[in-house]
């Protein structure tokens, strides 16, 4: 029991970042994959776990040893104009994600309560924005950490519906080659799993952790001990494993329920929840809905916060979740702007899910360019305070860039 408590105490930014990857919009992408193609894309979880792990470990190391967030580190190697384009793009993409997440959470809450989903979008949007601004980092980090437990609902749901594990094993370990429109779904999965906002959030949370230890200046935060790096490695491994395990079980659940019953045209989480009930029962549908609300509460502050960190570092604003609104008005202004934009999407009857799917595809196309910048920084001994990423880590991140680029090329060619 003491060992378990020690292990849980080590978990923090890596676990939260990994879990935030399975936000409601990610759930929709994985559900579409399972409903359209059955178990044909289960193998992608085996591909994305090591790639995502290497990327998040590299971003974590950048934050730990430079004492800066990702933008602060990139500024030392890339032109400000390039970083500005990336930061504005991140804000736009994250706002779309927030809108889609709030919409999915509201649909789930409406199914539970019968109250109109528009009201739930307002309540969730305002409540999460208030908590992000008002709660101090230690409290918010602890709450986000516990919210990761909501992800277990997807594992329980998949086991509950009773798959043929022999067929599942064959689909997992004997990959089928993507064909036709499956390429765009593969790019969407890669863009959702290895997503730019996670890079920024991971590095910024390392800075927040060091600030919480009293290391207030960049000079105080530079460098990391072997033990600190080892602890964060365990943390990131746990987070990325949980993320990809849940992705696997979401694809599996929709494959053995919706796909096998010919329901292949779902486009929203509401359609998935409604379709699940007559096939797998009320319990499975309720689990799916509960998990959407839980991970949405986790993901929305991650989305708004990552954009705020990126813009704050770019424009040299004061930032940090330990600061009051009056101390960092521009930083929290971005948090509120992204939240408000997400709420507005629901009331202007925009199609957040359609936009979201294609934003995941766009992320899959653009992420390799951002990763190239991260790789450049992580390989620079001067920027990395003489603690650059290892050759193995750099090799795996380079492989990630090549895989994402190949998937994007395959999408356009096919």
């Amino acid at each position: 029991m003491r060992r378990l408590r020690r292990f849980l105490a080590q978990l923090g930014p890596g676990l939260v970042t990994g879990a935030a990857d399975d936000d409601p919009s990610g759930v929709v992408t994985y559900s579409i994959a399972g409903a359209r193609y059955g178990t044909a894309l289960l193998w992608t979880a085996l591909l994305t776990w090591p790639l995502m792990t290497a990327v998040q470990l590299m971003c974590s190391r950048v934050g730990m040893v430079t004492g800066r967030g990702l933008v602060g580190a990139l500024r030392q190697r890339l032109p400000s104009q390039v970083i500005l384009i990336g930061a504005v793009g991140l804000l736009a993409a994250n706002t779309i994600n927030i809108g889609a997440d709030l919409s999915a959470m509201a649909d789930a809450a409406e199914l539970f309560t019968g109250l109109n989903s528009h009201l739930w979008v307002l309540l969730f949007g305002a409540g999460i924005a208030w908590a992000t601004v008002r709660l101090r980092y230690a409290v918010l980090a602890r709450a986000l950490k516990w919210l990761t437990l909501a992800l277990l609902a997807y594992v329980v749901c998949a086991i509950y519906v009773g798959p043929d594990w022999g067929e599942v094993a064959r689909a997992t370990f004997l990959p089928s080659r993507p064909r036709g429109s499956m390429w765009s779904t593969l790019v969407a999965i890669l863009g959702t799993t290895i997503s730019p906002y996670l890079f920024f959030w991971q590095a910024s949370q390392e800075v927040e952790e060091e600030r919480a230890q009293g290391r207030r200046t960049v000079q105080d935060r530079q460098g990391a001990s072997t033990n600190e790096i080892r602890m964060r490695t365990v943390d990131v491994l746990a987070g990325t494993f949980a993320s990809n395990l849940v992705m696997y079980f979401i694809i599996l659940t929709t494959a053995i329920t919706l796909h096998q019953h010919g329901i292949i045209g779902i486009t929203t989480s509401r359609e998935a929840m409604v379709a699940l009930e007559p096939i797998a029962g009320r319990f499975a549908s309720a689990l799916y809905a509960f998990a959407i609300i839980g991970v949405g509460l986790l993901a929305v502050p991650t989305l708004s916060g990552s954009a705020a960190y990126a813009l704050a570092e770019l424009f040299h604003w004061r930032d940090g979740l330990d600061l009051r609104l009056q101390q960092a008005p521009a930083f929290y202004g971005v948090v509120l702007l992204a939240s408000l934009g997400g709420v507005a999407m629901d009331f202007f009857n925009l199609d957040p899910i359609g936009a979201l799917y294609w934003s995941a595809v766009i992320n899959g196309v653009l992420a390799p360019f951002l990763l190239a910048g991260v790789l450049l920084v992580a390989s620079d001994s001067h920027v990395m305070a003489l603690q650059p990423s290892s050759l193995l880590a750099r090799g795996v991140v380079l492989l990630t860039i090549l895989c994402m680029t190949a998937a994007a090329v395959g999408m356009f060619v096919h």
Side-chain angles (χ1 to χ4, degrees):
M1 184 62 70
R2 189 180 297 114
R3 287 184 178 179
L4 177 61
R5 281 199 297 268
R6 260 202 318 267
F7 172 73
L8 294 175
Q10 291 180 27
L11 304 182
L15 177 65
V16 170
T17 303
D21 186 43
D22 291 318
D23 66 334
S25 56
V27 172
V28 171
T29 299
Y30 305 144
S31 297
I32 289 172
R36 285 185 184 172
Y37 306 111
T39 58
L41 288 172
L42 279 178
W43 60 269
T44 56
L46 296 182
L47 170 68
T48 55
W49 181 38
L51 301 185
M52 180 186 179
T53 300
V55 169
Q56 293 307 126
L57 281 174
M58 183 170 284
C59 294
S60 171
R61 192 181 186 97
V62 168
M64 291 180 75
V65 305
T66 67
R68 298 180 173 90
L70 200 54
V71 167
L74 288 171
R75 280 175 64 92
Q76 298 182 68
R77 291 300 307 265
L78 299 177
S80 295
Q81 296 89 335
V82 173
I83 300 174
L84 175 61
I85 293 171
V88 172
L90 180 72
L91 174 61
N94 286 9
T95 301
I96 293 172
N97 273 265
I98 289 171
D101 286 355
L102 292 175
S103 176
M105 293 165 67
D107 285 344
E110 183 178 11
L111 287 178
F112 278 131
T113 65
L115 293 177
N116 187 279
S117 64
H118 292 300
L119 175 61
W120 280 112
V121 166
L122 273 176
L123 291 175
F124 282 133
I128 295 171
W130 177 88
T132 307
V133 172
R134 294 291 298 175
L135 297 181
R136 304 284 58 82
Y137 175 73
V139 177
L140 186 63
R142 194 177 306 117
L144 294 178
K145 185 174 172 179
W146 283 106
L147 282 170
T148 61
L149 293 175
L151 295 173
L152 293 175
Y154 290 117
V155 180
V156 174
C157 185
I159 295 173
Y160 175 77
V161 296
D164 179 343
W165 292 108
E167 179 188 336
V168 169
R170 283 192 295 274
T172 302
F173 298 106
L174 297 174
S176 55
R177 187 172 69 85
R179 293 181 175 84
S181 62
M182 196 183 293
W183 278 104
S184 66
T185 303
L186 176 60
V187 173
I189 288 174
L190 289 170
T192 301
T193 308
I194 307 171
S195 187
Y197 80 89
L198 299 175
F199 312 163
F200 291 92
W201 180 260
Q202 181 77 58
S204 294
Q205 291 318 284
E206 301 301 349
V207 177
E208 288 282 15
E209 289 286 315
E210 294 183 344
R211 284 173 177 162
Q213 297 167 13
R215 299 159 72 177
R216 309 305 301 177
T217 68
V218 172
Q219 290 72 25
D220 290 338
R221 294 193 297 268
Q222 284 184 340
S225 69
T226 302
N227 187 55
E228 287 174 330
I229 292 175
R230 182 191 62 79
M231 288 175 60
R232 188 61 69 234
T233 300
V234 172
D235 181 25
V236 170
L237 280 169
T240 55
F241 176 77
S243 173
N244 287 273
L245 182 73
V246 168
M247 171 188 122
Y248 180 89
F249 278 105
I250 293 170
I251 295 175
L252 177 59
T253 299
T254 52
I256 62 180
T257 52
L258 306 185
H259 181 79
Q260 287 187 3
H261 287 79
I263 304 172
I264 62 174
I266 67 162
T267 57
T268 70
S269 58
R270 178 194 288 269
E271 291 175 5
M273 287 181 282
V274 171
L276 268 175
E277 185 167 345
I279 298 171
R282 173 68 177 169
F283 178 68
S285 178
L287 273 177
Y288 188 95
F290 164 76
I292 280 180
I293 295 173
V295 296
L297 294 172
L298 167 67
V300 171
T302 306
L303 287 159
S304 61
S306 60
Y309 281 119
L311 287 166
E313 281 202 301
L314 179 61
F315 293 113
H316 302 288
W317 300 333
R318 292 193 70 189
D319 64 43
L321 294 171
D322 265 341
L323 298 176
R324 301 281 178 188
L325 177 61
Q326 300 89 332
Q327 297 172 300
F331 171 76
Y332 284 119
V334 176
V335 170
L336 296 173
L337 177 65
S339 302
L340 180 62
V343 170
M345 287 181 64
D346 184 69
F347 286 89
F348 282 105
N349 293 319
L350 299 176
D351 177 18
I353 303 300
L356 181 81
Y357 180 79
W358 286 106
S359 74
V361 172
I362 292 170
N363 276 339
V365 173
L366 296 181
F369 296 99
L370 177 58
L371 283 177
V374 174
L375 182 58
L376 182 67
V377 167
S379 305
D380 190 315
S381 293
H382 176 69
V383 176
M384 293 291 288
L386 301 180
Q387 291 182 290
S389 292
S390 67
L391 285 174
L392 175 61
R394 283 181 263 173
V396 178
V397 171
L398 179 59
L399 176 63
T400 304
I401 295 171
L402 294 175
C403 286
M404 297 188 78
T405 303
V409 170
M411 178 183 69
F412 289 115
V413 169
H414 292 81

